[in-house]
Amino acid sequence: MKKAVILLTVLLSSAMLAACGKKDSNTSGGGNGGDAAFGEASMEDLKAAVVDVLGENYWPNMAMEEEMFSQIYGVTSDMYEEYFAETPMISTNVDTLIIVKAKDGKVSAVEDALNAYRDNLVNDTMQYPMNISKIQSSRIETFGNYVCFVQLGADVSDAEEEAAILQCQEENEKAIDAIRAALSK
């Protein structure tokens, strides 16, 4: 019972953090995309910003090809100008960074596709125990036409469940802050 209460508390705080993050990050939500508060940056610069802040805690190391990206995440080439998607080579690990520069009018479609993917992961009961905290802590944030999916956390294998979730939330927040800063230059 105690474990269930702790898990529920952590999940609720995750949801509240995600909701607060959307308001604070000037999320377009409506798909208008042309938010003047954010500029543009190359995908390489955005990845570099995340890698710089996370260091060795950045585990994704395999670029995802366009066809696989579309099949897995439901984001099709008609929705974006460009994208960056990187996952680990080792399939038992789920650390993932996705940044999509949506075409005008397609921000909502990209958000919907990534949210559907995330919802599917969260509700999938067949996950490795070490990945549950990363999946529960994953986030989708939008900055102008850039839609980001972060599911990071590095090594949480020795952490208690609540500590693992907090660690993943912190790593995701660092990544989101780095992307926001790179797009605000």
Side-chain angles (χ1 to χ4, degrees), residues 20-46:
C20 290
K22 280 192 164 279
K23 287 182 182 176
D24 294 343
S25 68
N26 208 3
T27 302
S28 66
N32 64 2
D35 194 323
F38 298 105
E40 295 195 12
S42 71
M43 294 295 163
E44 295 82 21
D45 288 344
L46 295 173

Side-chain angles (χ1 to χ4, degrees), residues 8 15 21 24 32 43 45 56 58 66 78 92 100 102 107 109 116 119 124 127 131 133 136 143 162 178:
L8 182 60
D24 294 343
N32 64 2
M43 294 295 163
D45 288 344
E56 62 187 39
Y58 183 81
E66 186 174 349
D78 64 321
T92 58
V100 178
V107 172
D119 290 346
D124 184 358
Q127 296 291 339
N131 292 331
S133 58
Q136 295 295 329
F143 307 102
E162 186 175 348

Side-chain angles (χ1 to χ4, degrees), residues 37-55 58 60 81-86 96-102 141-150 152 171-185:
F38 298 105
E40 295 195 12
S42 71
M43 294 295 163
E44 295 82 21
D45 288 344
L46 295 173
K47 176 194 174 184
V50 173
V51 172
D52 285 348
V53 74
L54 296 183
Y58 183 81
E81 292 180 27
E82 61 181 324
Y83 77 94
F84 171 84
E86 200 166 56
T96 303
L97 176 63
I98 296 172
I99 305 167
V100 178
K101 183 179 181 186
E141 293 288 332
T142 302
F143 307 102
N145 276 17
Y146 292 84
V147 183
C148 308
F149 173 79
V150 292
L152 305 165
E171 295 299 299
N172 288 335
E173 187 67 28
K174 288 178 193 175
I176 290 296
D177 287 347
I179 293 168
R180 179 185 298 115
L183 289 171
S184 296
K185 292 182 179 180

Side-chain angles (χ1 to χ4, degrees), residues 109-123:
V110 173
E111 290 173 332
D112 290 347
L114 292 176
N115 274 312
Y117 171 79
R118 183 184 182 280
D119 290 346
N120 187 44
L121 276 182
V122 168
N123 294 315

